Amino acid sequence: MAPTKVTSVDLDTADPRDIICYLNAGENEYNGHLGVRISALFVVLVTSTLTTFFPVLATRVRRLRIPLYVYLFARYFGAGVIIATAFIHLLEPAYEEIGPNSCVGMTGGWAEYTWPPAIAMASAMIIFLLDFLAEYYVDKKYRMAHVQVEGAITTGGHGHDHHGLHSADQDGAIPPNRKTAERVPDAATSDKGTPSNDTFDVEELKNIEGDNQQAAIGFQSQIAAFLILEFGVLFHSVIIGLNLGVVGDEFKTLYPVIVFHQAFEGLGIGARLSVIPFPKHLRWMPWALCLAYGLTTPLAIAIGLGVRTTYNSGSFTANVVSGVLDATSAGILLYTGFVEMLARDFLFNPYRTQDKKRLTFMLISLYLGCAIMALLGKWA
């Protein structure tokens, strides 16, 4: 029996769900070019790994002498990328996969509610609860309020007031209502108090690894939030890798876009890692976490190539799985981007720089990351 043609369907009587499901189902679109697809595996591996390692190298390998503004660009550009990824590359696809106008969204219980924003909201609220409980535990265990450890990063001393780490954006402003707080030297001035040029090295931020109590508290209060962030990003990377391995004619466009996408996202991961004060016995962890991100997409591409003739990314089951994971990851990245990266750096950091030039550069980098990653959403 010949398959039913769309043109023979009576649109006045047909169930819209059947039409949408028919149009979205499709078939496996793999169209060859195996050699180029294998090359994508290695290109993505190298680019995403290097960009993820860069912010960590900048703050931990002193002899590299990375200019401060290069580090600041990587850090805040990466923050913008994380936020744009949540909105454009995760939440919007979730609507396409399980939203009200999708095949899944018109079926059974999926049709009873608009699930993508609900899943994203639940995910963000759960992350908030875990973040709060972790901070409450740290406060109670050490009998301290919020701890400022960034002083240890910039001067090797002890700081106060806030547990967030802001290793390159403070300039020594005394926190409000803390006139007796230790003043952190301006990262943009020399030891003699004279302004330095823009070739200031991140080396001068000092080695943030340590085993003192301040660093231990800062580490415990941040590592859980970071692991949740990486968990969400890795989910997204798996889906990207699978699609790149099996996609059809879109591969030529998707290939370069995914390379940039994963590289920029790696900057966000590395930037977040670069300000966590890992204790000496865990000095291997930031490198391992960077490598985990760098390997995830290539491994998913390899899996996609392995099932390239059978996997159908448009199937009902694939849409449910990817839609739920995308919405969940969107909530994680939204919370992390706005709270962990922006609010704690720009709004609630008592040591935030007062240098207008540096603040402007940080904001431009942030918005540039958002804009470029949002633009990439046109193709992937």
Side-chain angles (χ1 to χ4, degrees):
M1 179 181 294
T4 303
K5 296 182 179 180
V6 175
T7 53
S8 67
V9 175
D10 185 346
L11 298 179
D12 292 326
T13 59
D15 186 341
R17 171 189 170 277
D18 294 335
I19 298 175
I20 295 296
C21 290
Y22 176 84
L23 294 175
N24 289 349
E27 296 178 354
N28 181 276
E29 298 179 349
Y30 177 76
N31 62 351
H33 308 293
L34 181 60
V36 180
R37 293 174 192 266
I38 292 175
S39 75
L41 188 156
F42 293 101
V43 171
V44 172
L45 172 64
V46 172
T47 55
S48 61
T49 301
L50 289 180
T51 53
T52 308
F53 272 112
F54 174 76
V56 179
L57 286 169
T59 54
R60 285 175 168 78
V61 182
R62 301 173 56 134
R63 62 179 176 272
L64 290 179
R65 300 186 65 83
I66 303 296
L68 173 64
Y69 277 82
V70 173
Y71 170 75
L72 288 178
F73 175 80
R75 177 173 170 179
Y76 291 104
F77 183 90
V81 165
I82 291 296
I83 292 172
T85 297
F87 280 112
I88 307 299
H89 297 266
L90 290 172
L91 193 57
E92 194 273 337
Y95 272 96
E96 294 180 354
E97 293 153 347
I98 61 174
N101 296 322
S102 68
C103 174
V104 175
M106 294 181 175
T107 306
W110 294 99
E112 302 298 324
Y113 195 74
T114 304
W115 289 102
I119 294 173
M121 180 192 70
S123 172
M125 294 306 295
I126 290 172
I127 301 309
F128 159 74
L129 181 61
L130 293 176
D131 193 20
F132 169 72
L133 291 177
E135 182 158 332
Y136 177 81
Y137 167 77
V138 169
D139 289 349
K140 185 174 182 180
K141 179 178 179 179
Y142 291 96
R143 301 182 184 280
M144 300 175 70
H146 300 270
V147 177
Q148 174 55 264
V149 297
E150 66 189 14
I153 293 177
T154 56
T155 67
H158 301 283
H160 310 275
D161 287 344
H162 193 278
H163 78 273
L165 294 176
H166 311 284
S167 59
D169 53 350
Q170 69 278 358
D171 68 359
I174 298 177
N177 302 321
R178 293 292 302 223
K179 296 181 180 180
T180 60
E182 178 181 351
R183 182 178 180 83
V184 180
D186 190 337
T189 60
S190 66
D191 293 338
K192 296 180 180 180
T194 58
S196 64
N197 57 35
D198 291 345
T199 61
F200 169 82
D201 284 275
V202 176
E203 168 189 345
E204 298 178 38
L205 298 177
K206 302 296 183 183
N207 191 336
I208 68 175
E209 295 176 352
D211 56 1
N212 56 69
Q213 186 184 55
Q214 299 281 30
I217 297 171
F219 171 74
Q220 291 185 34
S221 65
Q222 292 187 77
I223 188 60
F226 173 80
L227 291 177
I228 292 169
L229 166 65
E230 181 151 4
F231 182 70
V233 171
L234 292 185
F235 267 152
H236 179 45
S237 298
V238 168
I239 295 172
I240 284 178
L242 282 172
N243 289 337
L244 191 60
V246 303
V247 73
D249 294 335
E250 297 177 4
F251 176 78
K252 294 179 181 179
T253 302
L254 203 59
Y255 184 178
V257 171
I258 293 302
V259 171
F260 284 106
H261 179 287
Q262 293 305 102
F264 294 156
E265 208 166 62
L267 278 178
I269 291 291
R272 188 76 185 95
L273 266 176
S274 70
V275 294
I276 298 178
F278 288 89
K280 288 183 177 180
H281 70 282
L282 293 176
R283 63 176 60 186
W284 56 268
M285 185 175 285
W287 313 109
L289 292 172
C290 287
L291 188 60
Y293 171 79
L295 289 173
T296 298
T297 302
L299 288 175
I301 294 174
I303 293 172
L305 292 175
V307 297
R308 61 187 181 276
T309 59
T310 57
Y311 177 74
N312 181 7
S313 60
S315 69
F316 187 91
T317 300
N319 277 325
V320 170
V321 173
S322 59
V324 171
L325 292 181
D326 279 347
T328 301
S329 300
I332 293 173
L333 267 63
L334 284 173
Y335 177 84
T336 301
F338 283 114
V339 177
E340 298 288 340
M341 292 182 169
L342 298 192
R344 289 182 178 174
D345 273 19
F346 289 97
L347 300 180
F348 305 122
N349 177 14
Y351 288 86
R352 184 186 63 238
T353 181
Q354 299 301 310
D355 185 333
K356 293 180 180 178
K357 176 184 175 182
R358 196 185 309 172
L359 277 174
T360 301
F361 182 80
M362 290 157 56
L363 289 170
I364 290 175
S365 299
L366 171 69
Y367 282 96
L368 185 63
C370 275
I372 292 180
M373 200 63 171
L375 179 62
L376 289 179
K378 176 178 175 62
W379 300 280

